[in-house]
Amino acid sequence: MVEWSIAACRAAPSVRSIVVACPPGHVHDLAGGDLGVVDGGATRAQSVRNALQAVGTELVAVHDAARPLLSPDLIEGVVATLIADPEAAGAIAATPVTDTIKQAAPGAKPRFPVPYTAKRSFVVESTIDRDTLWAAQTPQVFRVEALREALGGDPDRVAAATDEAMLVEAGGRVLIHPSPPENLKVTTPLDLKTAELLLAHRSAK
């Protein structure tokens, strides 16, 4: 999946260099050629911080290898969205939420994936208006200094962040660039099968 994402980045005209944050001990698996490779950290934020040390450009795109259906067009679209607004600190790929979203009691999140035979039930506290909800994805493109400042904030909040945008948006405006539904995240074996089918279809075109 890392290789698929790297291939998309290489094909994007705006990408000048690529830095990959790898689990410690695996740097040499990807080292060489046109890639910069660094050790990842104990948290997502630390991995991004490590990779950011090798970045010398004005803008930087952060992408999860768990989204292998990244396309050069999506990268270019998110970059263009940010460039079009000089006052914005970042722009992210995101898709509108189509499911009806229920909020359950605090602490009710089960282990993922939830087994269909799970006997535990959860109580709905409210239904959230989905008309204003977007599911955040990657790539996420930021002005480098805005991202560096955000990663240097409160250590507990930075460590708990599930994406970079939630840190940057605390001090700057983050824009949304609509992404296609196939920019899915591979979390389960079913996700992987779906991604493989979509990639095979894309390769056959």
Side-chain angles (χ1 to χ4, degrees):
M1 292 197 299
V2 173
E3 292 175 350
W4 291 335
S5 292
I6 289 172
C9 290
R10 283 174 171 152
S14 64
V15 175
R16 297 289 180 264
S17 60
I18 304 169
V19 181
V20 182
C22 287
H26 291 271
V27 169
H28 294 295
D29 295 344
L30 287 171
D34 61 341
L35 294 178
V37 187
V38 301
D39 278 332
T43 65
R44 176 191 177 97
Q46 185 60 59
S47 294
V48 173
R49 191 182 290 115
N50 290 353
L52 202 56
Q53 292 178 5
V55 174
T57 53
E58 180 184 347
L59 303 181
V60 62
V62 179
H63 182 66
D64 295 327
R67 294 188 187 275
L69 284 119
L70 174 69
S71 70
D73 286 344
L74 182 56
I75 297 171
E76 295 303 299
V78 181
V79 170
T81 294
L82 177 56
I83 290 176
D85 187 344
E87 301 301 318
I92 67 171
T95 188
V97 171
T98 56
D99 292 326
T100 297
I101 303 299
K102 305 292 184 181
Q103 182 172 344
K109 185 177 179 180
R111 286 188 175 184
F112 190 84
V114 183
Y116 293 112
T117 56
K119 296 180 180 179
R120 185 181 176 187
S121 60
F122 304 93
V123 178
V124 172
E125 289 199 333
S126 64
T127 300
I128 301 174
D129 181 6
R130 69 184 179 190
D131 288 346
T132 61
L133 299 180
W134 291 73
Q137 302 178 348
T138 60
Q140 300 188 350
V141 181
F142 304 101
R143 302 194 189 281
V144 169
E145 291 310 312
L147 181 56
R148 286 197 173 115
E149 182 177 349
L151 290 170
D154 177 71
D156 291 337
R157 185 173 183 276
V158 170
T162 53
D163 76 351
E164 287 63 53
M166 67 184 294
L167 298 173
V168 174
E169 67 199 35
R173 188 163 73 256
V174 175
L175 309 174
I176 289 176
H177 178 84
S179 62
E182 62 264 27
N183 188 41
L184 58 85
K185 183 178 181 181
V186 175
T187 305
T188 69
L190 178 59
D191 296 332
L192 182 58
K193 290 180 181 179
T194 302
E196 288 173 340
L197 287 172
L198 290 170
L199 284 166
H201 178 71
R202 183 183 291 179
S203 300
K205 288 184 178 180

